[in-house]
PDB file of all heavy atoms in Angstrom:
ATOM      1  N   ASP A 463     -13.379  48.619  30.571  1.00 93.00           N
ATOM      2  CA  ASP A 463     -13.077  47.343  30.170  1.00 93.00           C
ATOM      3  C   ASP A 463     -13.343  47.180  28.746  1.00 93.00           C
ATOM      4  O   ASP A 463     -14.493  47.270  28.314  1.00 93.00           O
ATOM      5  CB  ASP A 463     -13.847  46.284  30.998  1.00 93.00           C
ATOM      6  CG  ASP A 463     -13.513  44.758  30.605  1.00 93.00           C
ATOM      7  OD1 ASP A 463     -12.550  44.624  29.913  1.00 93.00           O
ATOM      8  OD2 ASP A 463     -14.246  43.920  31.008  1.00 93.00           O
ATOM      9  N   LEU A 464     -12.259  46.993  27.971  1.00 94.00           N
ATOM     10  CA  LEU A 464     -12.411  46.941  26.517  1.00 94.00           C
ATOM     11  C   LEU A 464     -12.128  45.494  25.992  1.00 94.00           C
ATOM     12  O   LEU A 464     -11.858  45.257  24.825  1.00 94.00           O
ATOM     13  CB  LEU A 464     -11.385  47.868  25.722  1.00 94.00           C
ATOM     14  CG  LEU A 464     -11.644  49.370  26.083  1.00 94.00           C
ATOM     15  CD1 LEU A 464     -10.454  50.127  25.394  1.00 94.00           C
ATOM     16  CD2 LEU A 464     -12.979  49.772  25.410  1.00 94.00           C
ATOM     17  N   SER A 465     -12.282  44.535  26.898  1.00 93.00           N
ATOM     18  CA  SER A 465     -12.034  43.139  26.404  1.00 93.00           C
ATOM     19  C   SER A 465     -13.050  42.619  25.396  1.00 93.00           C
ATOM     20  O   SER A 465     -12.706  41.662  24.634  1.00 93.00           O
ATOM     21  CB  SER A 465     -12.072  42.148  27.663  1.00 93.00           C
ATOM     22  OG  SER A 465     -13.316  42.302  28.268  1.00 93.00           O
ATOM     23  N   ALA A 466     -14.203  43.238  25.282  1.00 91.00           N
ATOM     24  CA  ALA A 466     -15.164  42.828  24.290  1.00 91.00           C
ATOM     25  C   ALA A 466     -15.208  43.858  23.095  1.00 91.00           C
ATOM     26  O   ALA A 466     -16.243  43.890  22.388  1.00 91.00           O
ATOM     27  CB  ALA A 466     -16.588  42.732  24.916  1.00 91.00           C
ATOM     28  N   ALA A 467     -14.238  44.684  22.991  1.00 92.00           N
ATOM     29  CA  ALA A 467     -14.194  45.688  21.974  1.00 92.00           C
ATOM     30  C   ALA A 467     -12.846  45.661  21.093  1.00 92.00           C
ATOM     31  O   ALA A 467     -11.899  44.892  21.509  1.00 92.00           O
ATOM     32  CB  ALA A 467     -14.362  47.053  22.555  1.00 92.00           C
ATOM     33  N   HIS A 468     -12.887  46.395  20.061  1.00 92.00           N
ATOM     34  CA  HIS A 468     -11.561  46.416  19.223  1.00 92.00           C
ATOM     35  C   HIS A 468     -11.418  47.858  18.762  1.00 92.00           C
ATOM     36  O   HIS A 468     -12.369  48.519  18.281  1.00 92.00           O
ATOM     37  CB  HIS A 468     -11.660  45.493  18.053  1.00 92.00           C
ATOM     38  CG  HIS A 468     -10.388  45.458  17.225  1.00 92.00           C
ATOM     39  ND1 HIS A 468      -9.448  44.404  17.405  1.00 92.00           N
ATOM     40  CD2 HIS A 468      -9.831  46.220  16.371  1.00 92.00           C
ATOM     41  CE1 HIS A 468      -8.446  44.607  16.671  1.00 92.00           C
ATOM     42  NE2 HIS A 468      -8.632  45.714  15.957  1.00 92.00           N
ATOM     43  N   ILE A 469     -10.223  48.498  18.986  1.00 93.00           N
ATOM     44  CA  ILE A 469      -9.909  49.761  18.433  1.00 93.00           C
ATOM     45  C   ILE A 469      -9.368  49.702  17.033  1.00 93.00           C
ATOM     46  O   ILE A 469      -8.377  48.981  16.870  1.00 93.00           O
ATOM     47  CB  ILE A 469      -8.936  50.426  19.440  1.00 93.00           C
ATOM     48  CG1 ILE A 469      -9.525  50.622  20.843  1.00 93.00           C
ATOM     49  CG2 ILE A 469      -8.495  51.785  18.890  1.00 93.00           C
ATOM     50  CD1 ILE A 469      -8.553  51.174  21.785  1.00 93.00           C
ATOM     51  N   TRP A 470      -9.999  50.441  16.198  1.00 90.00           N
ATOM     52  CA  TRP A 470      -9.574  50.428  14.687  1.00 90.00           C
ATOM     53  C   TRP A 470      -8.854  51.659  14.212  1.00 90.00           C
ATOM     54  O   TRP A 470      -8.080  51.535  13.238  1.00 90.00           O
ATOM     55  CB  TRP A 470     -10.822  50.166  13.858  1.00 90.00           C
ATOM     56  CG  TRP A 470     -11.364  48.815  13.894  1.00 90.00           C
ATOM     57  CD1 TRP A 470     -12.508  48.427  14.611  1.00 90.00           C
ATOM     58  CD2 TRP A 470     -10.789  47.649  13.350  1.00 90.00           C
ATOM     59  NE1 TRP A 470     -12.696  47.081  14.499  1.00 90.00           N
ATOM     60  CE2 TRP A 470     -11.748  46.558  13.633  1.00 90.00           C
ATOM     61  CE3 TRP A 470      -9.801  47.377  12.488  1.00 90.00           C
ATOM     62  CZ2 TRP A 470     -11.498  45.214  13.246  1.00 90.00           C
ATOM     63  CZ3 TRP A 470      -9.508  46.086  12.070  1.00 90.00           C
ATOM     64  CH2 TRP A 470     -10.354  45.049  12.461  1.00 90.00           C
TER      65      TRP A 470
END
Side-chain angles (χ1 to χ4, degrees):
D463 181 10
L464 295 175
S465 56
H468 187 99
I469 297 176
W470 287 103

